[in-house]
Amino acid sequence: MRNTQHIVDFDTLLARLKMYILREEGKVSGTVFDKRVAEELNIDATKFRSLKARGVIPFKEVLDWCYKKGIDINRMFSKR
């Protein structure tokens, strides 16, 4: 079992991913749909919905995305 007490939950992570996607587009606010997040992470939209419903974080895909975008993984996953 993973020690996840210092890692954000799925909903918080999803909100952060959407925020970074908006920033990348040069926007301060707006709507980013889950389908767009799934595309960014190279995950099938149906699989992403299933992960979201179960609250399962796709760690590998998020880590790969952060690396590709130059985003600090500690800022992405930290509860602070």
Side-chain angles (χ1 to χ4, degrees), residues 14-15 17-23 25 27-37 52:
L14 181 58
L17 287 166
K18 289 179 176 185
M19 178 194 65
Y20 278 108
I21 291 169
L22 282 173
R23 282 186 185 170
E25 294 176 346
K27 298 178 182 175
V28 176
S29 63
T31 302
V32 177
F33 294 103
D34 291 350
K35 181 179 178 182
R36 172 72 191 282
V37 176
K52 181 180 178 181

Side-chain angles (χ1 to χ4, degrees), residues 60-73:
K60 181 188 179 312
E61 290 84 355
V62 174
L63 290 171
D64 288 346
W65 186 81
C66 287
Y67 177 77
K68 183 173 77 173
K69 301 291 184 177
I71 297 169
D72 180 8
I73 60 171

Side-chain angles (χ1 to χ4, degrees), residues 1-77:
M1 178 112 187
R2 292 182 186 163
N3 181 1
T4 58
Q5 68 188 44
H6 301 291
I7 297 176
V8 297
D9 60 27
F10 187 93
D11 292 330
T12 302
L13 180 66
L14 181 58
R16 289 181 184 176
L17 287 166
K18 289 179 176 185
M19 178 194 65
Y20 278 108
I21 291 169
L22 282 173
R23 282 186 185 170
E24 189 175 65
E25 294 176 346
K27 298 178 182 175
V28 176
S29 63
T31 302
V32 177
F33 294 103
D34 291 350
K35 181 179 178 182
R36 172 72 191 282
V37 176
E39 290 170 357
E40 286 284 325
L41 298 177
N42 293 316
I43 299 174
D44 178 71
T46 304
K47 179 180 177 183
F48 187 79
R49 278 194 302 274
S50 175
L51 292 170
K52 181 180 178 181
R54 293 182 288 140
V56 176
I57 295 173
F59 283 99
K60 181 188 179 312
E61 290 84 355
V62 174
L63 290 171
D64 288 346
W65 186 81
C66 287
Y67 177 77
K68 183 173 77 173
K69 301 291 184 177
I71 297 169
D72 180 8
I73 60 171
N74 292 316
R75 293 189 77 172
M76 184 63 74
F77 287 102

